[in-house]
Amino acid sequence: MSTAALPETPAAPLTTIRDIGQHEGQSIQLRGWLYNLRASGKLLFPIFRDGSGTIQGIVPKAAVPPEVFETLKNLTLESSVTVTGKVRADTRAPSGYELDVENIHVTQRVPDDQPFPITLKEHGPDFLMERRHLWMRTPRQSSILRIRATVMRAAQEFFDTQDFIRTDPPILTPAACEGTSELFEMKYFDEGNAYLTQSGQLYIEATALALGKVYSFGPTFRAEKSKTRRHLTEFWMIEPEVAYAGLDDLMLLAENFLAHIVNRVLDTHRADLKTITGSEEKAARLEKIQAPFPRLTYDEAHKMLEDAHSKGLIEHPHTYGDDFGAPDETYISNQFDRPVMVHRYPAEVKAFYMQPDPEDPTKALCVDVLAPEGYGEIIGGSQRIDSYDLLRQRILDHNLPLESFEWYLDLRKYGSVPHSGFGMGIERCVAWICGLEHVRETIPFARTLNRIYP
């Protein structure tokens, strides 16, 4: 008589640390890496990461086969593993769950004589940036990159759901938006010099006059020899442009856009914000980021700085007619709990394409959005000049090559209309949202004045 084979025990379902709460009381599998390991007598406390988060495992010696205990006990940091264990709720755990480890499979064990170079001790920024390809594995850096991804997704989502059309401009351009002194220059076959773009704006002005409401999203480049905490030589910019829009329309768009991004981050990244900052305070501050934002004219902001200097609250006086420096922006933004919009700067300190204010032609119809907590300008925008003659004269006044802008002037020949747009640097926005000291942590591989490796 034949005997029917017993059914095989089904393998534990594969999940991620992010979704582990859906499997409370069940055995599951995780694929990831060993982030840290503590031992206390016959107990092991491994911490695993998988890209979506971290979780602590509990391994009593008596609860697992000897080979599982020994494998874990001797495992090196950042070894890649598949772990099987039962999910258990624990309010003391950062994620609210721990894993009672049942089994482990090692995919690759990091050699003892070549240990993972980034440990829990303090490392200097140069050491970490030289090993950026490994540093991003740490929980804080992973949290920043997850938030960056959500900021980028939310930015696109905002425009996509409001009937904007994405139109990507070229990265190689024959001329600059604002002069060539801060551009990376290269030879372009037999056509002379070309430049890595500093903005897609001029090109999406063309697509806005074709499609009405457009945006571009891509890398931009600035060859500024700046070492400040706000500057990168390569960064990502999202730029909307709207036909028949004036400065007031633009400011309304900008505040709703920023509020949308912040709300999306709060929806899904409160734990990441706590990992980055070590407290709940940052999330509480972000909850205040709701439209409308306060608005100041340049003259009102200058008066604010004058008063602050007279009271000894800032060290240096602001010179009327100059742009605002970082200390000025920090003082202004610190007076508010949400971004502040400063508009109508002197035209002389702004770009050639900005529309003069009809009520005071010495001012430009432009706006800078200053983030709270001293993070400076995160959005800059303006209404664009729509007169052919005025734009042509401004190009000449700025000593720009007229022949490079003939196509741009064409936009004012054929059906010109008032139109406006702004640009937001993703990295500055992420630095503000995450409360970071330097923008170099906001991008997977930062490019700065002195760094192009790795």
Side-chain angles (χ1 to χ4, degrees), residues 178 222 224 229-231 235 237 258 323-326 328-330 332-333 339-342 345 349-350 353-354 366-382 422-432 439:
E178 301 171 27
R222 301 282 169 92
E224 293 178 79
R229 64 189 181 94
R230 298 178 180 179
H231 286 89
F235 57 98
M237 182 96 82
L258 276 179
D323 210 343
F324 298 125
D328 302 322
E329 291 180 343
T330 296
I332 294 167
S333 66
V340 56
M341 297 176 148
V342 183
Y345 285 69
V349 300
K350 289 299 182 180
Y353 50 74
M354 294 188 180
C366 62
V367 61
D368 285 353
V369 184
L370 309 182
E373 304 166 53
Y375 280 91
E377 177 198 335
I378 50 172
I379 282 179
S382 72
F422 65 73
M424 185 190 80
I426 293 297
E427 289 74 20
R428 283 196 184 181
C429 182
V430 173
W432 159 54
V439 292

Side-chain angles (χ1 to χ4, degrees), residues 247 250 353-354 365-367 380-384 419-422:
L247 180 61
L250 190 69
Y353 50 74
M354 294 188 180
L365 292 179
C366 62
V367 61
S382 72
Q383 186 171 326
R384 321 306 191 185
H419 58 288
S420 302
F422 65 73

Side-chain angles (χ1 to χ4, degrees), residues 281-303:
E281 184 181 349
K282 186 63 183 182
R285 289 181 184 177
L286 292 175
E287 286 172 353
K288 298 175 182 176
I289 310 303
Q290 300 293 335
F293 296 166
R295 288 159 164 73
L296 295 174
T297 65
Y298 173 90
D299 287 358
E300 289 168 338
H302 169 74
K303 180 65 167 59

